Amino acid sequence: MPLRALIFDVDGTLADTERDAHRVAFNQAFEMAELPFRWDVPTYGHYLKVTGGKERLRTFLNEHPQFPQLSDADIASIHKHKTAHYVAMMDAGLLPLRPGVERLLNAAQDASLILAIATTTTPANVESLLKSTLGTEALSRFHTIGAGDIVPHKKPAPDIYQYVLQQLGLDAAECLALEDSENGLRSAMAAELATVITQTDYTEEQDFTGALRVLDQLGEPHAPAQILQGRESGQSIVVDVDTLQQWWSEVR
Ligand code: XBP
Ligand code: MG
């Protein structure tokens, strides 16, 4: 059975969006709503344990009873403003893709692999990131974009990957997931997907047991990636389609 599709996470995997984009957009929305708190870099990192922006804010409030306890409607409204701030940042071209991402997407399409996305983030965020980094035609390069509230349970539940597999009409064994976080890895593995991790500053201490490989990034020819966990640990590499096919075939 050949490898048929690559399924990409977005936040942390396609681009390092959390610290300098999502976090900043949340703080702008908190300021607009005159809320008496902001999320600094470590605090935001801590609350990344909760996937989904609305769910993250609810958990933060539950753990900080001294702050105004917002209704679900208030949280939805603040989150809507947060999304608008995030989209404005992307439209301004403020965030690049991670090293090697565009190269790998191009190579995967040249090799007739199907591309898909499985993310907990809001669809507007994915669309604005893809358009600002890859151009207006970028969305059409992905067979399926599974995002946000389209499934009942966000990562680490398998729902979003199962949804994407269903839309692709493929078996998990025919696909490979690319993720950056433990929640993402648990989600992909629960959907029985082989998974490669490119970690970020926020996820580098997380448990990636079960991943096919863990790397610091995908790498470019002039600046290769490091393999951090897995058979070739310690080696440098530029991750290409052949590399992914080879790793995937070890478990298929
Ligand atoms: C991403 C998320 C998202 C973003 C914010 O996780 O958890 O919630 O942080 O996006 P993953 P929204 O990379 O595992 O999909 O505010 O739109 O939820
Ligand atoms: Mg992620």
Side-chain angles (χ1 to χ4, degrees):
M1 190 196 306
L3 174 62
R4 300 284 311 281
L6 300 181
I7 310 176
F8 288 84
D9 168 53
V10 175
D11 296 304
T13 302
L14 293 185
D16 210 346
T17 50
E18 295 289 9
R19 189 191 61 196
D20 297 330
H22 285 296
R23 185 186 66 87
V24 173
F26 274 112
N27 284 334
Q28 286 172 328
F30 298 160
E31 192 176 340
M32 260 183 74
E34 298 183 353
L35 291 170
F37 54 82
R38 302 289 180 268
W39 283 343
D40 62 19
V41 171
T43 303
Y44 190 68
H46 175 75
Y47 283 97
L48 282 175
K49 67 182 178 183
V50 184
T51 59
K54 295 186 288 292
E55 295 83 349
R56 188 168 301 140
L57 179 52
R58 172 59 72 206
T59 301
F60 173 82
L61 292 173
N62 287 345
E63 294 178 6
H64 293 82
Q66 72 273 30
F67 292 138
Q69 294 300 300
L70 303 170
S71 67
D72 286 349
D74 288 338
I75 287 184
S77 161
I78 290 162
H79 189 255
K80 214 170 144 183
H81 288 117
K82 177 256 166 180
T83 299
H85 291 306
Y86 180 94
V87 167
M89 273 188 257
M90 296 305 116
D91 289 351
L94 294 183
L95 211 77
L97 295 175
R98 289 191 69 187
V101 168
E102 185 169 3
R103 175 186 55 72
L104 182 63
L105 291 172
N106 292 339
Q109 282 193 300
D110 289 346
S112 299
L113 288 178
I114 300 165
L115 301 177
I117 280 177
T119 175
T120 64
T121 203
T122 303
N125 298 341
V126 185
E127 290 164 19
S128 60
L129 172 71
L130 291 178
K131 282 184 189 164
S132 77
T133 53
L134 294 170
T136 45
E137 304 298 311
L139 300 185
S140 62
R141 298 176 65 175
F142 295 87
H143 178 287
T144 300
I145 298 182
D149 296 322
I150 197 162
V151 289
H153 306 292
K154 291 184 176 166
K155 298 172 187 177
D159 303 29
I160 194 68
Y161 278 104
Q162 288 166 342
Y163 168 84
V164 169
L165 288 170
Q166 197 180 14
Q167 296 293 312
L168 292 173
L170 294 174
D171 195 89
E174 300 175 277
C175 306
L176 181 71
L178 291 102
E179 273 284 355
D180 71 301
S181 71
E182 183 175 347
N183 278 328
L185 175 64
R186 299 286 151 247
S187 172
M189 285 178 64
E192 300 182 358
L193 284 153
T195 307
V196 170
I197 299 288
T198 47
Q199 67 182 30
T200 70
D201 288 351
Y202 266 145
T203 66
E204 64 187 9
E205 302 294 325
Q206 295 182 353
D207 179 4
F208 295 126
T209 306
L212 212 45
R213 296 292 186 283
V214 180
L215 301 110
D216 60 344
Q217 52 165 298
L218 295 172
E220 294 283 17
H222 64 277
Q226 299 296 314
I227 303 179
L228 305 171
Q229 288 176 42
R231 208 171 279 178
E232 312 84 354
S233 185
Q235 290 182 20
S236 300
I237 193 164
V238 180
V239 177
D240 58 17
V241 171
D242 284 347
T243 320
L244 295 179
Q245 295 256 17
Q246 197 185 314
W247 291 344
W248 169 85
S249 65
E250 292 169 5
V251 290
R252 297 302 176 205

